[in-house]
Amino acid sequence: MLLHILFTLPILCMIKIGSAAMYTITSSQFIKDSQTISSNDDAFKFGFFSPANTTNRYVGIWYLEESNIIWVANREKPLQDFSGIVTISNDNRNLLVLDGQKNVIWSSNVSNFASNSNVTAHLQSTGNLVLLEDATGNKIWESFEHPTNAFVPNMIISTNQKTGQKVKLTSWKTPSDPAIGNFSCSLERLNAPEFFIWNKTKPHWRSGPWNGQKFIGVASRSVYTSSYLNGFDIAREDNGSLVEITYTLINSSFFANLVLTYEGNISSNLWFNGYSVRKGVRQENECDYYGFCGPNGNCDSKNLPICTCLKGFEPKNAVEWNKQNWSSGCVRRASLRCELGGEGDGFVKLETTKVPDFVQQSYLSADACRTQCLNDCNCTAYGFDDGIQCLTWSGNLIDIVKFSGGGIDLYIRVANSELDGKRNVKQIIISMVVIVGGIIFATSTYFLWSRASKRSARRKEAKSLVLNTSQIHRESQNTNVKQVKIEDLPLFEFQEISTATNNFNPSNKIGHGGFGSVYKGQLRNGLEIAVKRLSRVSGQGIEEFMNEVIVISKLQHRNLVRLLGCCIEGEEKMLVYEYMPNNSLDFYLFDSIKEKVLDWKKRLYIIEGISRGLLYLHRDSRLRIIHRDLKPSNILLDEELNPKISDFGMAKIFGRTENEGSTRRIVGTYGYMSPEYAMEGLFSEKSDVFSFGVLLLEMISGRKNTSFYNHDQALSLLGYAWKLWNEEEIISLIDPEICNPDYVDDILRCIHIGLLCVQEIAKERPTMATVVSMLSSEIVKFPRPFQPAFILRQTERREDIDDQQCCDLNSLNNVSVTSLQGR
Ligand SMILES: *[C@@H]1O[C@H](CO)[C@@H](O)[C@H](O)[C@H]1NC(C)=O
Ligand SMILES: *[C@@H]1O[C@H](CO)[C@@H](O)[C@H](O)[C@H]1NC(C)=O
Ligand SMILES: *[C@@H]1O[C@H](CO)[C@@H](O)[C@H](O)[C@H]1NC(C)=O
Ligand SMILES: *[C@@H]1O[C@H](CO)[C@@H](O)[C@H](O)[C@H]1NC(C)=O
Ligand SMILES: *[C@@H]1O[C@H](CO)[C@@H](O)[C@H](O)[C@H]1NC(C)=O
Ligand SMILES: *[C@@H]1O[C@H](CO)[C@@H](O)[C@H](O)[C@H]1NC(C)=O
Ligand SMILES: *[C@@H]1O[C@H](CO)[C@@H](O)[C@H](O)[C@H]1NC(C)=O
Ligand SMILES: *[C@@H]1O[C@H](CO)[C@@H](O)[C@H](O)[C@H]1NC(C)=O
Ligand SMILES: *[C@@H]1O[C@H](CO)[C@@H](O)[C@H](O)[C@H]1NC(C)=O
Ligand SMILES: *[C@@H]1O[C@H](CO)[C@@H](O)[C@H](O)[C@H]1NC(C)=O
C-alpha cells in the first residue's frame, strides 16, 4: 500500500498543480472536454471520458478513475470528437451537453419550475450530480434519480405501483457502449419486495423476498451480507404503493457499488481508503437463471441431473425432460383431494430453498399459515420466515432452487397418496402389468420381489452397522448419529463396482488410504468414480469407514469431496466418491517440478476454497464438524483445480452447543496437529484452524512443515517463519516459484493470516469465519500474531537444503512489511 502511495503521490500532485479543480457549473462557467468538476473530497469527477476500445466521447461521473464509471449522461448519443461542452442552458434552467455546433446532445429536461432562480450544478460527495436553484437551494434535478448501470450507496431504487414509475438500473450494451443494453434491474412484487434482473422483458434472476433484514433467496454468503455494509434498507411510502431500497456503508473509509454488467451479472466492487480491495462478479450457476427447471421443477446445482421434479410431480414432457430440456417443467402426478372435494392432502418439506416467485404474504403464525394453506384449495405451498411471516403460493411453483445453506424450508402440498411411499411401488407394478402381460408379470414380480428383498437385506446390514458405531461414538455425547439414516445414501452393488474397476485391477489402483486401497473406476453411465475399499481381512478401519459414511453423507459443498454412495455386501465395505483427476495437493506442492503448475493465483484460489470448505464444516452445515486431519494429502483437486476436502475418517460431529471435545485416542498427522490436541487430546474448531494455518504457510513457502530444516537452528517451518517475521525478513519465506512483486502484498497478507492461525493459544486463533473474511479483504486490520506453537523441531535429524533466496526484493522488503503492520 505504501508503495502505491509513494508512486502515485507525485502524480496526483502534478495533476493538482496542472489544472485548478472546479466544483460547479453555472450559467457563466461551463466545462470543455478534458475539464472536469469534482466532489468536495475529489473522490468523484464529472466530465468527458471514453470507454475501453472506443474513441467516442461521453459525459459521466466516475469514482477515482475513469474505469469506475457510475453514471453516464449522453449514453445513447456519443460525441464523435473533443469539441463537446457541458453548460447550463440559456434560460438558466437545465444542464446541457452540447457538441461543437452547439446542438443539444443531452439535456436534464426539467420543465416544471417553482421559481425564476438560476441554477448551479454540483457534484456531491456521494457521487450525486445535482442541479440546485441558486435562490432557494432546492434540488430540481439529480443524477441519482436517473441511474444508469451502477447502484451506489445512498442512491434509491424504487417502484411506484400507483404511477407505474420505476427507478431502475439498465445495463450497458457492451463494455465499450453505454447505450441501454438488454438487462435491467428493479424492485418488484411489492407485497414482499424482491430485486429482479430482467433480460429485456423476461425475468433473468430474482433475489427472493425481503424479510426486513435480507433477501431470503440469496445464498448465505454474498455481497448482500458483507461486513462493510450497514445493509440494505427498504422503505414503504404512500400506503405501500411506493417501495424504495437503498444501502449505506459502515463509514466513509469505504466506497462500494453494484454494477449491472452488459451480460446481466451483478459486479460488486469495494474500495477502502481509495484502494480497490475487491472487484468481482457474483459466481453464477445455472440455478441462478430464473425458472431454469420450469414450473414445479427444483434446481440443485450440486446435483446431477441439475433439475428434478418436486415430490409428487412428474415431467410434463418426459422425452424432452430426459434430453435435459427442462423448459416445460413438471405436472402433478395425483390430483389433490381438495380439488375433488375431499380432505387429507398433506405437505412434503423441501429444506433450505430459494422460495418460488409470486408469493402472497400474510401475518400469521407458522401453524395458522399451514392451516390456511390446507383450507385453501388454490394454495400449492407455504413457508414461514420470522421476518415476513406466512408465505403462501398458488398455482405453479416457479424458480425453486435448493441451497445447501440459507433460504427457508418450503412445504409443498401433495395428494395424500404421495405421502406414504407405497404408491410408487404400486404404480410401477401396475405399469408392468400393462406392458408385459400375465405370464411375464409373474416372473417380473418375482424378480422385483427377490431383488427388493436382497436390497432390504443389505439395508438391514447397513443399519446394524450404524447401530454398532453409535456405541463407538459415545465419546461425543451429543452426536447426531440417530438422525443419520443410511437409507439416504445410494447403495451400489458389489458387481457394479467390480465391473467399474475392472475387478479391482491393480492398474486401477490410485492410492492407499488410511484403511484400504483406492481404485479408479467408471460406471456404465460413464461417470468416473474413486472407490475406497476397506481391506477385507482385517476388521480394522471399520470405525473410520462408518464415521466417514455418517459425516459425509450429510454434507454437500463445492469444496468437500462428494460421496456418491457406498457398498456393503458380506465382507465388502466400500465408499464410492466422485473422481478427482488432479490428485491431491501434496502431489504438486512438494515436488520441485510439479509445483510450477501452481502459481500464486492458483494457490490463493485453492486456499480460499479450503477455507470455505472448512467454514462450511464448522458453521454452515447442519452438523458441526471438526475434521481433525487436515493436510495437503487430504485436499483433492478436480479438473479445474478446485480444492475438495476429503477423508472424514477422523472427523467428529459436535452438537450445536458443544465447543470443545476431548479424547484419549489421539489421531491425526504430526505437523498439522495443534498443541492442545497433540498433548492433551483437546480438540475444537481451533484445532482445524491450526492445521489450516500450517497448510497455508506450506503453500506459501512450498515446504513441508515436518521436513523443514534450516541451516543454523533446529526450527520447524513455523519456527522459521516466526524468526523471519521478527527479523522483518518474512518476505524470504515466500516460495521463489510464486514470488512476483505484483502479488507480494497479497502473499504477505496470507502469511500474516497463517501466523495468526498457528498461535500457540487456541483462543487467540481466529475462527474460520474470520479467516474467510480476512482472505477476502473484508477485514483489513489484523492483530499482531503471538508466538506459534512448536517452533522448535522435535527431531534430531538434520538435512541441509539450498538456502533459496526469494527474488531480489530487498528494496521492497521494508516497505511491504511496514505497510503490512500499519494495517
Ligand atoms: C442568471 O444568470 C444570468 C446570466 O448569467 C444573469 O444575467 C442573471 O442576473 C442571473 N439571475 C439571477 C437571479 O441571479
Ligand atoms: C479491448 O480490446 C482488446 C483487444 O481486442 C481486448 O483484449 C479487451 O478485452 C477489450 N476491452 C474491453 C473492455 O472490451
Ligand atoms: C428530453 O426530452 C426530449 C424531448 O422530449 C427527449 O427526446 C429526450 O430523450 C429527453 N432526454 C432525456 C435525457 O430524458
Ligand atoms: C436473454 O434472452 C435471449 C432471448 O430471449 C436469450 O437468447 C439469451 O440467452 C438471454 N440471455 C441470457 C444471459 O440469459
Ligand atoms: C392509505 O389507506 C387508507 C385506508 O385504505 C386511507 O384511509 C388513506 O387515505 C391512505 N393514505 C394515502 C396517503 O393514500
Ligand atoms: C472505518 O472502518 C474501518 C474498519 O472498521 C476503520 O479501519 C476506519 O478507520 C474507519 N474509518 C473512519 C473514517 O471512521
Ligand atoms: C442482446 O439482445 C440481442 C437481441 O436479442 C442480442 O443480439 C445480443 O447479443 C444481446 N446482447 C447481450 C450482451 O446479451
Ligand atoms: C455473466 O453472465 C454470463 C451470461 O449469463 C455468463 O456466461 C458468465 O459466466 C457470467 N460471468 C460470471 C463471472 O459469472
Ligand atoms: C424443449 O421442449 C419444448 C416442449 O416441451 C419444445 O417446444 C422446445 O422446442 C424444446 N427445446 C429444445 C431446444 O429442444
Ligand atoms: C382459486 O382460483 C380460482 C381461479 O384462479 C378463483 O376463481 C377462485 O376464487 C380461487 N379460490 C380461492 C379460495 O381463492
Side-chain angles (χ1 to χ4, degrees):
M1 244 181 218
L2 214 68
L3 198 69
H4 284 285
I5 295 170
L6 287 180
F7 279 115
T8 49
L9 218 55
I11 302 170
L12 284 177
C13 293
M14 275 171 350
I15 291 171
K16 273 278 164 63
I17 295 160
S19 66
M22 298 207 296
Y23 295 98
T24 55
I25 297 175
T26 64
S27 50
S28 54
Q29 188 177 15
F30 62 89
I31 59 169
K32 294 186 290 203
D33 201 330
S34 82
Q35 291 178 316
T36 57
I37 64 168
S38 308
S39 59
N40 279 336
D41 57 1
D42 287 336
F44 294 93
K45 295 268 185 321
F46 170 72
F48 294 81
F49 72 98
S50 289
N53 295 343
T54 172
T55 54
N56 285 342
R57 299 299 282 170
Y58 294 90
V59 174
I61 301 170
W62 59 89
Y63 176 68
L64 300 178
E65 290 161 15
E66 283 183 22
S67 53
N68 308 319
I69 299 290
I70 62 164
W71 186 75
V72 186
N74 56 327
R75 60 190 302 192
E76 301 285 348
K77 267 175 113 176
L79 292 151
Q80 310 296 336
D81 55 27
F82 294 86
S83 64
I85 61 168
V86 181
T87 184
I88 300 289
S89 59
N90 283 335
D91 63 358
N92 286 316
R93 287 320 176 86
N94 273 302
L95 187 67
L96 301 179
V97 177
L98 306 177
D99 66 11
Q101 286 75 49
K102 300 281 182 288
N103 298 315
V104 177
I105 297 296
W106 179 87
S107 160
S108 55
N109 270 2
V110 187
S111 55
N112 50 337
F113 305 104
S115 74
N116 280 325
S117 169
N118 290 351
V119 296
T120 302
H122 295 268
L123 186 55
Q124 296 183 326
S125 57
T126 51
N128 189 11
L129 181 73
V130 294
L131 275 185
L132 302 179
E133 283 185 335
D134 295 344
T136 60
N138 287 342
K139 212 187 275 176
I140 62 164
W141 181 91
E142 59 184 313
S143 64
F144 270 17
E145 288 188 350
H146 304 88
T148 55
N149 67 345
F151 190 21
V152 300
N154 302 306
M155 181 187 271
I156 293 173
I157 288 183
S158 66
T159 293
N160 189 331
Q161 214 159 30
K162 257 194 219 152
T163 62
Q165 206 167 35
K166 289 181 187 177
V167 175
K168 58 184 183 181
L169 304 180
T170 45
S171 69
W172 289 18
K173 257 206 171 82
T174 69
S176 312
D177 183 0
I180 291 178
N182 292 348
F183 297 93
S184 62
C185 181
S186 58
L187 269 186
E188 304 292 336
R189 316 290 186 242
L190 301 192
N191 62 343
E194 303 191 26
F195 247 132
F196 264 64
I197 297 177
W198 300 87
N199 176 355
K200 299 254 174 71
T201 55
K202 280 190 321 193
H204 180 64
W205 175 81
R206 54 186 273 274
S207 65
W210 175 255
N211 76 352
Q213 279 170 343
K214 60 176 191 210
F215 292 105
I216 62 173
V218 180
S220 40
R221 279 197 60 76
S222 73
V223 295
Y224 307 102
T225 57
S226 230
S227 55
Y228 62 85
L229 282 182
N230 270 341
F232 288 92
D233 193 15
I234 286 204
R236 290 166 181 281
E237 282 171 28
D238 207 5
N239 271 356
S241 67
L242 173 64
V243 177
E244 304 179 328
I245 182 168
T246 185
Y247 72 104
T248 51
L249 301 171
I250 54 171
N251 70 32
S252 59
S253 295
F254 291 95
F255 176 71
N257 66 19
L258 296 174
V259 174
L260 178 63
T261 70
Y262 74 106
E263 294 179 300
N265 305 327
I266 296 268
S267 152
S268 77
N269 311 298
L270 176 67
W271 288 263
F272 177 66
N273 286 339
Y275 293 96
S276 170
V277 290
R278 188 167 78 195
K279 280 198 177 190
V281 168
R282 213 167 58 88
Q283 280 264 335
E284 294 211 22
N285 63 58
E286 287 160 312
C287 293
D288 282 324
Y289 295 130
Y290 182 92
F292 185 76
C293 293
N296 307 312
N298 176 20
C299 196
D300 184 352
S301 60
K302 301 206 175 67
N303 212 22
L304 263 182
I306 191 167
C307 293
T308 49
C309 285
L310 294 173
K311 193 151 187 271
F313 290 77
E314 60 194 3
K316 183 168 182 188
N317 182 338
V319 176
E320 289 293 339
W321 186 267
N322 289 335
K323 283 195 274 180
Q324 311 217 329
N325 171 3
W326 317 113
S327 59
S328 51
C330 306
V331 291
R332 201 175 278 289
R333 194 154 49 197
S335 298
L336 295 175
R337 290 270 182 89
C338 183
E339 287 164 357
L340 308 171
E343 280 185 1
D345 293 335
F347 293 99
V348 292
K349 179 174 169 186
L350 193 57
E351 285 173 339
T352 58
T353 56
K354 172 176 186 172
V355 297
D357 194 9
F358 301 110
V359 63
Q360 282 131 35
Q361 183 264 351
S362 49
Y363 293 101
L364 293 175
S365 70
D367 282 344
C369 189
R370 181 189 182 94
T371 310
Q372 183 196 309
C373 186
L374 205 54
N375 292 338
D376 175 0
C377 258
N378 287 354
C379 180
T380 46
Y382 81 93
F384 186 83
D385 172 274
D386 289 335
I388 334 180
Q389 309 241 317
C390 177
L391 304 168
T392 55
W393 289 265
S394 53
N396 285 331
L397 302 171
I398 295 163
D399 198 31
I400 296 180
V401 178
K402 177 83 180 77
F403 290 148
S404 43
I408 67 170
D409 296 344
L410 184 68
Y411 295 85
I412 296 152
R413 185 192 205 117
V414 295
N416 192 294
S417 54
E418 299 285 353
L419 287 174
D420 49 10
K422 286 174 208 146
R423 191 192 165 88
N424 274 335
V425 179
K426 237 182 357 202
Q427 258 185 351
I428 293 168
I429 295 176
I430 289 171
S431 55
M432 287 253 176
V433 177
V434 175
I435 300 164
V436 202
I439 303 162
I440 306 171
F441 167 63
T443 2
S444 57
T445 33
Y446 171 75
F447 173 71
L448 267 183
W449 174 81
S450 67
R451 206 178 127 101
S453 59
K454 228 161 94 190
R455 223 163 233 273
S456 81
R458 268 191 283 134
R459 290 203 182 277
K460 260 188 213 137
E461 201 177 333
K463 242 191 235 166
S464 70
L465 268 166
V466 173
L467 291 179
N468 285 340
T469 46
S470 66
Q471 289 158 1
I472 296 165
H473 273 266
R474 255 177 317 195
E475 242 180 281
S476 51
Q477 315 96 13
N478 207 1
T479 56
N480 290 320
V481 171
K482 277 167 254 116
Q483 289 175 18
V484 179
K485 282 179 280 172
I486 202 155
E487 283 92 337
D488 293 347
L489 197 64
L491 283 178
F492 287 86
E493 284 176 35
F494 178 77
Q495 196 49 49
E496 206 175 344
I497 306 287
S498 178
T499 311
T501 56
N502 204 359
N503 291 325
F504 301 98
N505 195 314
S507 68
N508 282 34
K509 191 160 157 177
I510 49 175
H512 196 84
F515 57 88
S517 302
V518 183
Y519 296 87
K520 181 185 171 181
Q522 189 166 31
L523 293 178
R524 226 169 303 152
N525 64 11
L527 188 66
E528 290 192 308
I529 54 172
V531 179
K532 197 189 253 182
R533 185 189 199 190
L534 199 64
S535 40
R536 221 171 348 162
V537 275
S538 71
Q540 235 184 4
I542 185 100
E543 180 184 342
E544 281 86 358
F545 175 88
M546 283 319 300
N547 196 41
E548 179 133 18
V549 170
I550 289 162
V551 172
I552 200 175
S553 67
K554 282 284 155 186
L555 302 180
Q556 278 209 341
H557 188 271
R558 58 184 268 117
N559 297 115
L560 302 184
V561 68
R562 220 174 100 201
L563 186 63
L564 301 174
C566 65
C567 170
I568 301 174
E569 263 183 60
E571 298 277 83
E572 289 290 351
K573 288 168 192 65
M574 287 179 273
L575 293 173
V576 181
Y577 300 91
E578 58 181 339
Y579 174 68
M580 291 290 131
N582 267 326
N583 223 311
S584 56
L585 186 54
D586 60 330
F587 180 75
Y588 292 95
L589 203 53
F590 306 127
D591 183 302
S592 57
I593 306 292
K594 295 195 194 93
E595 75 161 341
K596 293 185 199 302
V597 174
L598 300 180
D599 59 19
W600 170 243
K601 284 211 160 139
K602 295 208 180 90
R603 288 191 201 190
L604 184 61
Y605 182 72
I606 292 170
I607 289 167
E608 285 171 344
I610 299 169
S611 69
R612 280 192 297 265
L614 264 188
L615 177 64
Y616 172 81
L617 289 178
H618 288 178
R619 200 189 69 178
D620 294 340
S621 73
R622 279 176 296 154
L623 312 171
R624 272 179 62 214
I625 289 156
I626 314 297
H627 185 283
R628 295 207 301 174
D629 197 16
L630 192 71
K631 55 183 173 182
S633 59
N634 282 342
I635 306 296
L636 304 183
L637 300 172
D638 74 4
E639 59 275 18
E640 281 148 9
L641 293 177
N642 286 308
K644 311 251 177 181
I645 301 173
S646 77
D647 204 337
F648 290 79
M650 299 176 183
K652 282 280 172 191
I653 303 173
F654 266 18
R656 274 273 154 221
T657 50
E658 276 174 285
N659 284 316
E660 194 176 77
S662 77
T663 181
R664 257 165 288 134
R665 185 165 168 256
I666 293 165
V667 290
T669 306
Y670 173 71
Y672 300 90
M673 277 190 276
S674 63
E676 71 276 9
Y677 181 52
M679 290 165 185
E680 298 162 60
L682 289 175
F683 59 89
S684 67
E685 292 173 7
K686 297 295 181 71
S687 23
D688 278 355
V689 170
F690 182 91
S691 312
F692 176 79
V694 175
L695 204 153
L696 182 50
L697 293 173
E698 288 184 336
M699 291 202 59
I700 289 164
S701 63
R703 302 170 184 188
K704 235 184 163 122
N705 189 24
T706 44
S707 64
F708 186 84
Y709 304 102
N710 182 262
H711 280 311
D712 315 322
Q713 285 145 310
L715 287 175
S716 68
L717 170 61
L718 304 188
Y720 182 54
W722 182 242
K723 173 173 169 281
L724 293 176
W725 172 268
N726 285 319
E727 291 166 358
E728 306 210 331
E729 286 289 335
I730 193 69
I731 210 151
S732 41
L733 185 73
I734 303 173
D735 186 347
E737 280 306 324
I738 57 170
C739 216
N740 174 336
D742 289 348
Y743 301 136
V744 161
D745 270 355
D746 249 8
I747 299 175
L748 290 176
R749 200 158 48 85
C750 285
I751 294 179
H752 196 152
I753 298 170
L755 285 172
L756 289 171
C757 291
V758 296
Q759 294 176 100
E760 178 134 35
I761 299 171
K763 213 170 65 201
E764 307 282 355
R765 296 173 211 146
T767 61
M768 279 322 291
T770 308
V771 169
V772 168
S773 294
M774 285 171 158
L775 284 171
S776 66
S777 298
E778 271 173 27
I779 297 178
V780 287
K781 202 165 183 171
F782 298 173
R784 264 197 85 88
F786 293 106
Q787 177 169 321
F790 304 127
I791 62 167
L792 285 183
R793 184 154 55 90
Q794 303 185 340
T795 156
E796 293 307 311
R797 203 156 62 91
R798 289 181 77 161
E799 212 174 86
D800 287 343
I801 56 160
D802 287 353
D803 204 3
Q804 289 165 303
Q805 262 300 313
C806 184
C807 36
D808 186 17
L809 286 163
N810 277 340
S811 52
L812 284 177
N813 218 347
N814 295 330
V815 172
S816 300
V817 169
T818 10
S819 78
L820 191 76
Q821 290 166 354
R823 287 186 235 200

